[in-house]
Amino acid sequence: MYIVPKLDDYSPEALDRAVTELRQALSREEASISSQSEWKEFRDRWLARKNGILTQLNNVWLKPSPPDLKRTVGQVINALHPEIEHFVMNGQSRVEDIRTVLGSLSKDILASERLDITLPGIRRPIGVKHPVLRVMDEIVAVFKAMGYSVGKGPEVETDYYNFESLNFPPNHPARDTQDTLFIAGQEGKPARDRLMLRTHTSPVQIRTMEQQPPPVRIIIPGKVHRNDPLDATHSPVFHQVEGLAVDTNITFCDLKGTLDHAMKALFGSSVKTRFYPSFFPFTEPSADMQVSCIFCGGKGCRKCKFSGWIELLGCGMVDPNVFEFVKQYGYDSSKISGFAFGMGVDRLALLKYEVEGIQMFFEGDVRFLEQFA
Ligand code: PHE
């Protein structure tokens, strides 16, 4: 940075050299400024009344100059004044140019990054539970409150678990009641190991008893498959909730009491239940349970086909033949007994939400599903 030199020699050549040095410094410094604040510093350094370089020239060059040269030195300094001012003004307009360039640049940037905060945002639709799952969870919750634990099992099942251990002997006509979807290419396997899509959740009864000794209280929600052609009330995929209770002295009364309580918890305390004889290979005796129509209260309406009753589930006392298959796990039918039930979930969801056809549940049509949000 330029410092005003003392002049020992006031010859015209020496003065000339000093002025040239000063001019070079002035133009160098002016060229190096690139911001408003640098420019201000530059201006003050050269022009400030108090100790600016121009003022210093008077003190350092003029005052100590020989009296006969004072006039010349004064003229030199006076001539420098407008030169310095010229550079200061130049610097100012250069910095202003830079500012306007930067300003327009940032305007472009601002314009390109403009964000209209008044625009409505993109709303992500909030997912909700599928109506079938909702009903399934409601049923499970009722049994959980009674101390049942929740179990699960595979959807691809062996012949042994789906049929044989549930007292459907090989080739027994009872198997025909459940049109089964078999996995292809299983012929090389022993019959009981062949795979199929489970036709009901009952195989999980056996799987549960293999896993834990009595007592058992378990509720099993799950997906099942049957080779049923699709119509308004049938689908090759549907859902069941299975229940199993095994303990000493479990009677049909416990079965009736438990299910009656569950139905009242699900549909309200005024609902009635009734049981009438049925057949399942794995329960004896077996029953179908009906509830008084939850829509008309039993008077008769379209939903209950004007009978006043709606059939909801199959149930019964665990057949001693079933316990034989899990004897080695602590199930001795001379000491323990149990009940089981299985209910279709989709049919209940159809009734509850007044859905026209079961296929609606599985098509994944958002317009349908949205109604449950
Ligand atoms: N698994 C039977 C069905 O799918 C229902 C059932 C379960 C019946 C448990 C009795 C006991 O039809």
Side-chain angles (χ1 to χ4, degrees):
M1 232 192 282
Y2 182 73
I3 292 168
V4 181
K6 278 207 175 82
L7 294 179
D8 302 320
D9 181 358
Y10 280 90
S11 68
E13 298 79 36
L15 263 178
D16 228 37
R17 241 181 289 123
V19 167
T20 310
E21 251 173 55
L22 179 141
R23 280 203 185 106
Q24 283 169 351
L26 179 62
S27 108
R28 230 189 357 260
E29 285 186 28
E30 187 271 323
S32 76
I33 59 178
S34 60
S35 71
Q36 183 80 357
S37 61
E38 279 172 14
W39 171 77
K40 277 188 178 148
E41 245 174 63
F42 170 71
R43 179 196 61 191
D44 296 345
R45 211 173 107 65
W46 287 85
L47 290 177
R49 242 169 232 154
K50 227 180 168 188
N51 219 31
I53 287 173
L54 193 62
T55 309
Q56 287 179 43
L57 291 178
N58 286 322
N59 294 329
V60 181
W61 287 3
L62 185 63
K63 273 198 191 140
S65 65
D68 56 324
L69 288 175
K70 273 219 159 68
R71 199 182 151 82
T72 322
V73 175
Q75 278 168 352
V76 167
I77 293 173
N78 280 346
L80 280 173
H81 192 163
E83 268 189 59
I84 293 174
E85 273 184 341
H86 171 79
F87 273 93
V88 167
M89 269 163 62
N90 250 10
Q92 182 177 33
S93 52
R94 219 163 44 74
V95 166
E96 260 166 20
D97 285 350
I98 292 173
R99 273 170 38 127
T100 43
V101 169
L102 277 181
S104 63
L105 248 187
S106 63
K107 253 184 235 144
D108 285 348
I109 293 168
L110 281 179
S112 74
E113 292 182 355
R114 192 182 138 86
L115 177 71
D116 184 351
I117 59 163
T118 65
L119 275 177
I122 299 165
R123 215 179 275 261
R124 270 171 183 268
I126 295 176
V128 289
K129 248 187 227 165
H130 189 281
V132 170
L133 271 188
R134 197 139 94 185
V135 172
M136 196 141 85
D137 285 353
E138 276 172 27
I139 300 166
V140 168
V142 166
F143 285 91
K144 266 171 131 176
M146 285 192 273
Y148 283 60
S149 41
V150 182
K152 60 176 180 186
E155 286 169 29
V156 178
E157 203 34 294
T158 60
D159 181 281
Y160 176 76
Y161 286 111
N162 196 77
F163 288 129
E164 194 180 330
S165 62
L166 287 166
N167 201 30
F168 293 80
N171 302 317
H172 193 279
R175 292 181 174 219
D176 297 344
T177 61
Q178 305 190 350
D179 252 331
T180 309
L181 291 161
F182 293 93
I183 306 288
Q186 302 279 301
E187 295 75 14
K189 286 186 180 173
R192 54 161 57 183
D193 294 338
R194 290 184 195 163
L195 297 172
M196 62 190 64
L197 299 182
R198 68 178 178 194
T199 57
H200 51 177
T201 41
S202 300
V204 192
Q205 289 187 31
I206 306 295
R207 290 185 174 274
T208 303
M209 290 191 280
E210 287 181 353
Q211 293 303 315
Q212 64 174 96
V216 167
R217 275 159 189 70
I218 195 153
I219 190 86
I220 304 143
K223 190 185 288 171
V224 301
H225 297 80
R226 287 190 200 173
N227 190 17
D228 288 337
L230 188 69
D231 65 25
T233 55
H234 293 85
S235 157
V237 50
F238 58 105
H239 300 80
Q240 291 187 332
V241 175
E242 186 89 9
L244 173 69
V246 182
D247 208 336
T248 48
N249 301 317
I250 294 233
T251 68
F252 203 90
C253 268
D254 298 310
L255 168 59
K256 285 182 76 174
T258 302
L259 289 178
D260 188 72
H261 168 81
M263 296 307 124
K264 286 181 161 65
L266 275 174
F267 304 117
S269 54
S270 60
V271 97
K272 292 194 199 67
T273 53
R274 76 178 187 187
F275 297 76
Y276 63 94
S278 184
F279 173 79
F280 299 101
F282 42 95
T283 46
E284 182 59 34
S286 303
D288 283 325
M289 190 206 71
Q290 299 180 335
V291 292
S292 55
C293 180
I294 48 184
F295 302 98
C296 66
K299 285 203 274 306
C301 66
R302 220 165 65 87
K303 294 236 165 122
C304 59
K305 299 197 179 90
F306 301 98
S307 71
W309 295 91
I310 293 177
E311 192 181 308
L312 275 193
L313 56 81
C315 58
M317 302 306 291
V318 178
D319 193 306
N321 287 349
V322 171
F323 285 135
E324 281 301 306
F325 285 95
V326 287
K327 206 174 185 160
Q328 69 268 42
Y329 301 100
Y331 292 82
D332 178 348
S333 60
S334 68
K335 298 201 176 91
I336 46 124
S337 55
F339 66 75
F341 59 88
M343 59 196 288
V345 179
D346 314 75
R347 217 171 71 83
L348 209 60
L350 281 178
L351 287 169
K352 178 164 177 169
Y353 297 113
E354 309 198 24
V355 175
E356 293 295 319
I358 193 170
Q359 74 280 0
M360 293 274 199
F361 287 141
F362 309 119
E363 280 171 349
D365 187 330
V366 176
R367 292 168 302 178
F368 168 72
L369 295 170
E370 257 171 6
Q371 300 176 74
F372 299 93

